[in-house]
Amino acid sequence: MKKLLVIGYVWPEPNSSAAGQYMLKLLKTFLAQNYQITFACAASESIHRYPFEQLGITKAEIKLNCASFDDFIVELQPDVVLFDRFMIEEQFGWRVAKHCPNALRILDLEDLWSLRHIRMQAYKQQRPLQPSDYLQDLVLRELASIWRCDLSLVISHYEMDLLVNQFKVPAHILAHLPFVVEDEQLAQLQTQAKPFENRAHFVFIGNFKHEPNWDAVLFLKQQVWPLISKQIKDAELHIYGAYPAKKVTDLHNPKQRFLVKGWADDANAVVANARICLAPLRFGAGLKGKLFEAMQLGTPSVTTSVGIEGYFDSAVSVDDIRNSYWPGAVADDAELIASKAVELYNNQVLWQAAQDKAWGMLQRFRESSFLPEFCARIEAIQQDLVAHRAQNIIGAMLQHHTMKSTQYMAQWIAAKNA
């Protein structure tokens, strides 16, 4: 059996975030390929951590800036190492390259962390993105990490285009791997989806450690929900999500029918019972898991141009997405978001048409369209890893030079701690 070592940024929580669901799908994909998996992480455990031991995956606790990881990986000798986010590759990549030079190194980006960061900065400064934003430290660090790895997983069409065409990252070290749905599930999802008359209220759901989610809830509270609640007197807005801070729970107001529910024991149930999923995201990156989840449950969504980003390649125009493809409605202005939400909530014919579009959208994300090709690419790269790396001379240069500073800093911290 081949060995896979996953080094996690956090322990996977598929019931808390789309990132956790994505990681669980990756783990199951490697298990199906007969890999022996070890999941290692330096973060503290949460009560929501997925019990992956039940799948036969080994759990390992590791430390940052500590030579004990060297002993750990020398003993394990993995064939593949998967870094969960670029910060993890920065921390452990040089150790992996030193002690297991023949291990295939994969970077799981989830979304482009740096893109989300610079967009958040620009949004808070009430300005568009500028060329200088792409020269920020975080962007350069993430790009360097992508170049150093043998393969990086990109979840969004938009980010694939950005990396290849703007940043000139070679396509052969990138793999487009979005959220997927099992082929055999598609018909079942459509059959199980609740109809219009069996649903009520609006829902927002998202992990509150994620800044775009907090901003969206504040936008709902201050601008969008007051407009909706005036027109639909009996509807409620239910706010769900893991790790709500006090600033989130303080927004709870039964008189306004704005109900902060916090952690959802069954996220699928709360979205499946809602008539509309509201997701007025004003910045972010990647694919928005809450919208993919809503599609799977047949719940029409009202979102923004940020929300729909990455679901289609550049050949499909934004207007076509808005008018023809999206299972719900797309708007960026608070008044327009509210009016579309009200119309969709009250109009059964319009609502049903939106639900039907969800099944068409999910056809684009069939597991069979992505996972077999992904597994084949990993196998092909492993068979001739030297030739693969020889095509990425910039990555080799970055591995040689930029990781030295990270290595020496880690060694200095380890010596200091000792």
Side-chain angles (χ1 to χ4, degrees), residues 15-70:
N15 292 329
S16 299
S17 69
Q21 294 170 17
Y22 188 82
M23 176 56 74
L24 182 59
K25 174 57 72 173
L26 287 176
L27 294 175
K28 289 182 176 180
T29 299
F30 279 99
L31 285 173
Q33 295 299 307
N34 205 33
Y35 275 80
Q36 179 183 325
I37 302 177
T38 300
F39 194 104
C41 188
S44 299
E45 281 199 58
S46 157
I47 59 172
H48 304 309
R49 199 265 289 183
Y50 184 81
F52 52 69
E53 295 90 339
Q54 296 175 3
L55 302 177
I57 296 171
T58 301
K59 173 178 175 285
E61 295 182 2
I62 54 177
K63 296 180 180 179
L64 302 175
N65 301 305
C66 184
S68 61
F69 181 84
D70 299 347

Side-chain angles (χ1 to χ4, degrees), residues 120 124 206-222 239 241-253 256 258-262 283:
M120 179 177 69
K124 290 185 175 181
N207 189 320
F208 286 104
K209 287 185 176 180
H210 193 58
E211 185 72 18
N213 287 335
W214 159 242
D215 177 78
V217 168
L218 202 59
F219 185 36
L220 283 167
K221 173 72 172 183
Q222 295 175 344
I239 307 293
Y243 306 108
K246 186 177 183 298
K247 65 182 181 181
V248 180
T249 57
D250 283 349
L251 299 180
H252 180 76
N253 192 320
Q256 296 174 352
F258 190 98
L259 309 178
V260 179
K261 303 272 190 173
F283 58 88

Side-chain angles (χ1 to χ4, degrees), residues 19-20 25 55 84 97 115 125 130 135-136 139 165 169 174 190 220 266 269 273 304 326 345 353 360 362 370 394:
K25 174 57 72 173
L55 302 177
D84 177 20
L115 178 63
Q125 295 168 11
Q130 301 166 354
L135 297 175
Q136 288 190 29
V139 179
N165 296 316
V169 177
L174 301 174
Q190 189 169 351
L220 283 167
D266 188 342
N273 287 318
T304 60
W326 193 256
Y345 191 90
L362 290 174
F370 296 96
I394 293 178

